[in-house]
mmCIF file of all heavy atoms in Angstrom:
data_model
loop_
_atom_site.group_PDB
_atom_site.id
_atom_site.type_symbol
_atom_site.label_atom_id
_atom_site.label_comp_id
_atom_site.label_asym_id
_atom_site.label_seq_id
_atom_site.Cartn_x
_atom_site.Cartn_y
_atom_site.Cartn_z
ATOM 1 N N LEU Y 2 117.541 37.463 127.669
ATOM 2 C CA LEU Y 2 118.440 36.330 127.683
ATOM 3 C C LEU Y 2 118.444 35.722 129.062
ATOM 4 O O LEU Y 2 118.364 36.398 130.067
ATOM 5 C CB LEU Y 2 119.857 36.762 127.330
ATOM 6 C CG LEU Y 2 120.106 37.187 125.878
ATOM 7 C CD1 LEU Y 2 121.520 37.688 125.716
ATOM 8 C CD2 LEU Y 2 119.819 36.040 124.926
ATOM 9 N N VAL Y 8 116.495 30.088 135.749
ATOM 10 C CA VAL Y 8 115.672 30.926 134.857
ATOM 11 C C VAL Y 8 114.961 30.042 133.829
ATOM 12 O O VAL Y 8 113.769 30.180 133.629
ATOM 13 C CB VAL Y 8 116.528 32.014 134.181
ATOM 14 C CG1 VAL Y 8 115.697 32.772 133.160
ATOM 15 C CG2 VAL Y 8 117.120 32.969 135.206
ATOM 16 N N SER Y 17 104.797 16.709 128.651
ATOM 17 C CA SER Y 17 104.933 15.239 128.677
ATOM 18 C C SER Y 17 106.169 14.882 129.440
ATOM 19 O O SER Y 17 107.248 15.455 129.233
ATOM 20 C CB SER Y 17 105.039 14.729 127.231
ATOM 21 O OG SER Y 17 105.324 13.341 127.218
ATOM 22 N N GLY Y 21 113.248 9.440 130.681
ATOM 23 C CA GLY Y 21 114.005 9.277 129.441
ATOM 24 C C GLY Y 21 113.544 10.163 128.329
ATOM 25 O O GLY Y 21 114.210 10.310 127.305
ATOM 26 N N ARG Y 22 112.342 10.776 128.472
ATOM 27 C CA ARG Y 22 111.830 11.657 127.430
ATOM 28 C C ARG Y 22 110.932 12.726 128.047
ATOM 29 O O ARG Y 22 109.935 12.423 128.682
ATOM 30 C CB ARG Y 22 111.002 10.856 126.409
ATOM 31 C CG ARG Y 22 110.533 11.669 125.249
ATOM 32 C CD ARG Y 22 109.685 10.815 124.294
ATOM 33 N NE ARG Y 22 109.362 11.525 123.099
ATOM 34 C CZ ARG Y 22 108.434 12.486 123.006
ATOM 35 N NH1 ARG Y 22 107.718 12.839 124.051
ATOM 36 N NH2 ARG Y 22 108.191 13.054 121.829
ATOM 37 N N SER Y 27 108.955 26.682 126.591
ATOM 38 C CA SER Y 27 109.489 27.835 127.319
ATOM 39 C C SER Y 27 109.217 29.122 126.533
ATOM 40 O O SER Y 27 109.563 29.226 125.360
ATOM 41 C CB SER Y 27 110.991 27.678 127.521
ATOM 42 O OG SER Y 27 111.546 28.860 128.049
ATOM 43 N N SER Y 28 108.639 30.071 127.203
ATOM 44 C CA SER Y 28 108.406 31.376 126.567
ATOM 45 C C SER Y 28 109.736 32.077 126.289
ATOM 46 O O SER Y 28 109.780 32.974 125.417
ATOM 47 C CB SER Y 28 107.533 32.246 127.484
ATOM 48 O OG SER Y 28 108.176 32.424 128.742
ATOM 49 N N SER Y 35 118.670 33.391 120.079
ATOM 50 C CA SER Y 35 119.789 33.592 121.005
ATOM 51 C C SER Y 35 119.618 32.697 122.231
ATOM 52 O O SER Y 35 120.573 32.002 122.655
ATOM 53 C CB SER Y 35 119.924 35.042 121.427
ATOM 54 O OG SER Y 35 120.209 35.842 120.354
ATOM 55 N N ASN Y 36 118.444 32.721 122.850
ATOM 56 C CA ASN Y 36 118.185 31.888 123.997
ATOM 57 C C ASN Y 36 118.252 30.395 123.643
ATOM 58 O O ASN Y 36 118.717 29.582 124.434
ATOM 59 C CB ASN Y 36 116.852 32.224 124.646
ATOM 60 C CG ASN Y 36 116.948 33.409 125.552
ATOM 61 O OD1 ASN Y 36 118.043 33.905 125.887
ATOM 62 N ND2 ASN Y 36 115.799 33.943 125.952
ATOM 63 N N PHE Y 44 122.883 22.194 127.314
ATOM 64 C CA PHE Y 44 122.524 20.767 127.298
ATOM 65 C C PHE Y 44 123.550 19.908 126.568
ATOM 66 O O PHE Y 44 123.668 18.714 126.842
ATOM 67 C CB PHE Y 44 121.139 20.569 126.677
ATOM 68 C CG PHE Y 44 120.021 20.734 127.657
ATOM 69 C CD1 PHE Y 44 119.462 21.974 127.890
ATOM 70 C CD2 PHE Y 44 119.516 19.666 128.390
ATOM 71 C CE1 PHE Y 44 118.429 22.142 128.809
ATOM 72 C CE2 PHE Y 44 118.498 19.809 129.287
ATOM 73 C CZ PHE Y 44 117.935 21.064 129.513
ATOM 74 N N THR Y 51 120.746 11.967 124.828
ATOM 75 C CA THR Y 51 120.952 11.336 123.536
ATOM 76 C C THR Y 51 120.313 12.106 122.397
ATOM 77 O O THR Y 51 120.699 11.921 121.237
ATOM 78 C CB THR Y 51 120.410 9.881 123.519
ATOM 79 O OG1 THR Y 51 119.035 9.890 123.877
ATOM 80 C CG2 THR Y 51 121.176 9.014 124.542
ATOM 81 N N LYS Y 54 116.168 18.603 120.997
ATOM 82 C CA LYS Y 54 115.605 19.376 119.896
ATOM 83 C C LYS Y 54 114.862 20.581 120.435
ATOM 84 O O LYS Y 54 114.146 20.519 121.424
ATOM 85 C CB LYS Y 54 114.641 18.519 119.074
ATOM 86 C CG LYS Y 54 115.299 17.388 118.336
ATOM 87 C CD LYS Y 54 114.292 16.638 117.513
ATOM 88 C CE LYS Y 54 114.960 15.511 116.723
ATOM 89 N NZ LYS Y 54 113.978 14.764 115.954
ATOM 90 N N ASP Y 69 119.012 5.473 132.922
ATOM 91 C CA ASP Y 69 119.994 4.726 133.713
ATOM 92 C C ASP Y 69 121.236 5.545 134.049
ATOM 93 O O ASP Y 69 121.998 5.183 134.923
ATOM 94 C CB ASP Y 69 120.413 3.463 132.977
ATOM 95 C CG ASP Y 69 119.259 2.517 132.717
ATOM 96 O OD1 ASP Y 69 118.264 2.602 133.448
ATOM 97 O OD2 ASP Y 69 119.362 1.700 131.807
ATOM 98 N N SER Y 74 125.101 12.586 136.348
ATOM 99 C CA SER Y 74 125.144 14.020 136.114
ATOM 100 C C SER Y 74 124.270 14.790 137.104
ATOM 101 O O SER Y 74 123.048 14.632 137.113
ATOM 102 C CB SER Y 74 124.662 14.304 134.691
ATOM 103 O OG SER Y 74 124.450 15.683 134.493
ATOM 104 N N LEU Y 77 121.732 16.893 135.200
ATOM 105 C CA LEU Y 77 120.581 16.146 134.676
ATOM 106 C C LEU Y 77 119.639 15.721 135.814
ATOM 107 O O LEU Y 77 118.413 15.747 135.659
ATOM 108 C CB LEU Y 77 121.030 14.946 133.852
ATOM 109 C CG LEU Y 77 119.934 14.163 133.147
ATOM 110 C CD1 LEU Y 77 119.061 15.084 132.277
ATOM 111 C CD2 LEU Y 77 120.507 13.027 132.318
ATOM 112 N N ARG Y 79 119.080 17.342 138.546
ATOM 113 C CA ARG Y 79 118.337 18.560 138.938
ATOM 114 C C ARG Y 79 117.258 18.901 137.904
ATOM 115 O O ARG Y 79 116.128 19.246 138.264
ATOM 116 C CB ARG Y 79 119.340 19.712 139.079
ATOM 117 C CG ARG Y 79 118.703 20.985 139.492
ATOM 118 C CD ARG Y 79 119.754 22.006 139.773
ATOM 119 N NE ARG Y 79 119.115 23.294 140.012
ATOM 120 C CZ ARG Y 79 119.572 24.443 139.622
ATOM 121 N NH1 ARG Y 79 120.691 24.513 138.973
ATOM 122 N NH2 ARG Y 79 118.937 25.548 139.853
ATOM 123 N N HIS Y 85 109.976 17.051 136.422
ATOM 124 C CA HIS Y 85 108.993 16.065 136.887
ATOM 125 C C HIS Y 85 108.030 16.720 137.871
ATOM 126 O O HIS Y 85 106.812 16.517 137.793
ATOM 127 C CB HIS Y 85 109.722 14.873 137.518
ATOM 128 C CG HIS Y 85 108.772 13.765 137.866
ATOM 129 N ND1 HIS Y 85 108.606 13.306 139.139
ATOM 130 C CD2 HIS Y 85 107.950 13.029 137.085
ATOM 131 C CE1 HIS Y 85 107.719 12.344 139.148
ATOM 132 N NE2 HIS Y 85 107.281 12.160 137.890
ATOM 133 N N PHE Y 88 105.616 18.835 135.989
ATOM 134 C CA PHE Y 88 104.643 17.994 135.303
ATOM 135 C C PHE Y 88 103.563 17.522 136.281
ATOM 136 O O PHE Y 88 102.370 17.588 135.976
ATOM 137 C CB PHE Y 88 105.335 16.818 134.656
ATOM 138 C CG PHE Y 88 104.415 15.896 133.917
ATOM 139 C CD1 PHE Y 88 103.777 16.297 132.748
ATOM 140 C CD2 PHE Y 88 104.165 14.619 134.370
ATOM 141 C CE1 PHE Y 88 102.907 15.465 132.064
ATOM 142 C CE2 PHE Y 88 103.301 13.758 133.682
ATOM 143 C CZ PHE Y 88 102.683 14.192 132.529
#
Side-chain angles (χ1 to χ4, degrees):
L2 290 176
V8 174
S17 174
R22 185 182 187 283
S27 172
S28 59
S35 296
N36 278 348
F44 275 89
T51 57
K54 293 183 178 179
D69 298 337
S74 169
L77 186 54
R79 181 173 173 218
H85 187 240
F88 181 68

